[in-house]
Amino acid sequence: MFDQAMARIAGRFSRVEPRAAARSYLLGLLSSVERKNCWQLAEQAGLPRPGPMQRLLRYARWDADTVRDDLRAYAAEHLGTDGGVLVVDETGFLKKGRSSAGVQRQYTGTAGRIENAQVGVFLALATSRGRALIDRRLYLPKHSWSNDCDRRTAAGIPETVHFATKPRLAQEMIEAALDSGITAPWVTGDEAYGQDPQLRAALEARGIGYVMAVACSTRVRINHGRTLVRADTVADRLPATAWQRYSAGNGAKGPRYYDWAWIYTGTGSHRHLLIRRNRSTGELAFYICWSPTEVPLSELVRVAGVRWSIEECFQAAKGQVGLDHYQVRHWTSWHRHITLAMLALAFLTALAADAAPERPADTHPPVRSSDSITLTVPEIRHLLTAVFHPPAVTATRLLHWSNWRRRHQATARRSHYRRRITSAPTG
């Protein structure tokens, strides 16, 4: 099945060398190697130098966006799109220095605080068969990058790339997915995207329903549009009978039950404010919802619950296929590594989906002591490691790579020392 996945993108590489390097790179991402950067992936592949891997990411002639298109089609083919949900979210990549494309001190949920980081906006496709990342955009801060020609040139940022807000990047990815034939009827995202009226308007224009998280201070219209109030004020006024208990999907410990209420907020359209209440803490969450046709509360709850699937994608992509293990600064190199990591994750997800028994999404069959859970992405990667193991590692090869790394590190250290000495004040 790996050969079939590789065959989908093989035509994107006009020469045999980068095609072979891409295959080795993907196998390295699927391996158990500790850090999935060019050095360790080259060692894993049995290469004497990291050069082929570095050229694949930086200089080889291939277009990461066309491979992304193949990845998107591959995910849709194996996961299906019936009842699918497109999920938008961002994740951070902590970095040192200021040369990596798009890096600056900014808030990232990865660290939970302001850190020096790159931020990528991602789109995931989630269906009853699984979920996979299908598109990505590197966020380019406006003042520190978009308007700095020297930094842009040094990082290889194309002249055609201009500043765009994160919701705008999300809109571009959603529209590209829909234009490519993805038929997901729903979109969901967190407050950063739910608060953007242009994104919501663009989805409505295409007839795509959404369940988007918003802040408690969001103002909504009730009483047939006559009254404008805060969302949390609406929640405070609801009677006990307004709340219904539904599961937002299965978690690690079983169904995730919350209390839910919905309030009609539109005139002549299917608009609602959806409110989720934690049964233990009473904490509230709010969602703005729109659908082209009438849907039940249970469907809005389902879509709201799917939003967390992209967090699972980030966790799997970083933990299993090295999404954040790259050591590159260039705009092109970032997109190439991220795309190949997304493809590796989609491959694992497709294997898991094909291995899972067909079962209605809402059923919770009893688990007997003799049962086992279905194959997971980490378990499949563990099994693949045994299948795609490298040739026997000899002491000579281990020593070769040890010597190469230490020589390279010594060269880098001399360069750093020389730069420090040259720039040190005299007096």
Side-chain angles (χ1 to χ4, degrees), residues 304-326:
V306 168
R307 183 171 72 86
W308 296 104
S309 63
I310 196 169
E311 298 291 347
E312 297 172 355
C313 286
F314 291 149
Q315 182 179 4
K318 292 181 178 182
Q320 300 299 321
V321 296
L323 185 76
D324 59 342
H325 291 190
Y326 60 88

Side-chain angles (χ1 to χ4, degrees), residues 117-379:
Q118 296 170 297
V119 171
V121 182
F122 288 80
L123 181 69
L125 171 64
T127 74
S128 60
R129 287 175 55 82
R131 62 287 310 258
L133 301 173
I134 61 172
D135 205 348
R136 73 286 177 269
R137 295 287 193 279
L138 180 59
Y139 173 66
L140 197 64
K142 185 173 185 179
H143 298 294
S144 61
W145 277 95
S146 294
N147 300 329
D148 191 327
C149 295
D150 292 338
R151 291 188 82 187
R152 289 175 61 102
T153 300
I157 299 172
E159 294 182 358
T160 55
V161 175
H162 305 288
F163 172 75
T165 64
K166 294 170 186 175
R168 175 58 184 171
L169 295 176
Q171 180 182 333
E172 291 175 359
M173 291 189 292
I174 293 168
E175 292 178 342
L178 297 175
D179 290 342
S180 73
I182 300 290
T183 57
W186 291 101
V187 169
T188 186
D190 66 14
E191 290 182 20
Y193 305 92
Q195 297 286 151
D196 189 88
Q198 293 182 345
L199 175 57
R200 300 199 308 266
L203 294 174
E204 293 181 24
R206 299 198 62 144
I208 304 298
Y210 57 78
V211 178
M212 307 290 276
V214 293
C216 63
S217 58
T218 300
R219 294 184 174 273
V220 296
R221 292 192 176 275
I222 58 176
N223 298 329
H224 300 282
R226 294 191 297 269
T227 307
L228 184 65
V229 296
R230 283 171 54 115
D232 52 2
T233 301
V234 175
D236 291 339
R237 296 177 180 176
L238 291 175
T241 55
W243 298 93
Q244 303 179 50
R245 186 158 298 171
Y246 283 98
S247 169
N250 293 332
K253 299 181 180 179
R256 296 173 292 149
Y257 283 106
Y258 295 92
D259 293 331
W260 301 84
W262 61 338
I263 299 90
Y264 181 67
T265 61
T267 303
S269 61
H270 305 286
R271 300 183 187 277
H272 293 88
L273 172 67
L274 178 66
I275 308 174
R276 186 193 73 198
R277 184 175 66 189
N278 188 296
R279 298 168 59 201
S280 301
T281 65
E283 181 182 5
L284 300 177
F286 302 88
Y287 304 84
I288 291 291
C289 309
W290 179 85
S291 58
T293 59
E294 186 175 356
V295 296
L297 172 60
S298 59
E299 178 67 356
L300 298 183
V301 169
R302 180 187 75 86
V303 177
V306 168
R307 183 171 72 86
W308 296 104
S309 63
I310 196 169
E311 298 291 347
E312 297 172 355
C313 286
F314 291 149
Q315 182 179 4
K318 292 181 178 182
Q320 300 299 321
V321 296
L323 185 76
D324 59 342
H325 291 190
Y326 60 88
Q327 294 178 336
V328 297
R329 297 176 175 177
H330 199 270
W331 173 273
T332 298
S333 302
W334 186 91
H335 285 85
R336 289 181 173 184
H337 169 83
I338 295 296
T339 302
L340 292 174
M342 288 165 52
L343 179 58
L345 180 64
F347 169 69
L348 294 175
T349 304
L351 288 179
D354 292 344
E358 292 294 335
R359 180 179 295 156
D362 295 332
T363 61
H364 309 294
V367 179
R368 299 183 298 273
S369 60
S370 60
D371 286 345
S372 61
I373 66 171
T374 57
L375 284 169
T376 62
V377 165
E379 181 65 21

Side-chain angles (χ1 to χ4, degrees), residues 387-419:
V387 176
F388 295 124
H389 63 84
V393 179
T394 64
T396 301
R397 178 139 63 95
L398 286 174
L399 289 174
H400 163 80
W401 270 96
S402 176
N403 291 332
W404 188 91
R405 282 192 296 270
R406 289 184 291 113
R407 285 197 301 269
H408 187 91
Q409 290 162 352
T411 301
R413 177 180 296 180
R414 285 195 298 271
S415 298
H416 292 317
Y417 282 16
R418 188 179 301 114
R419 188 182 307 113

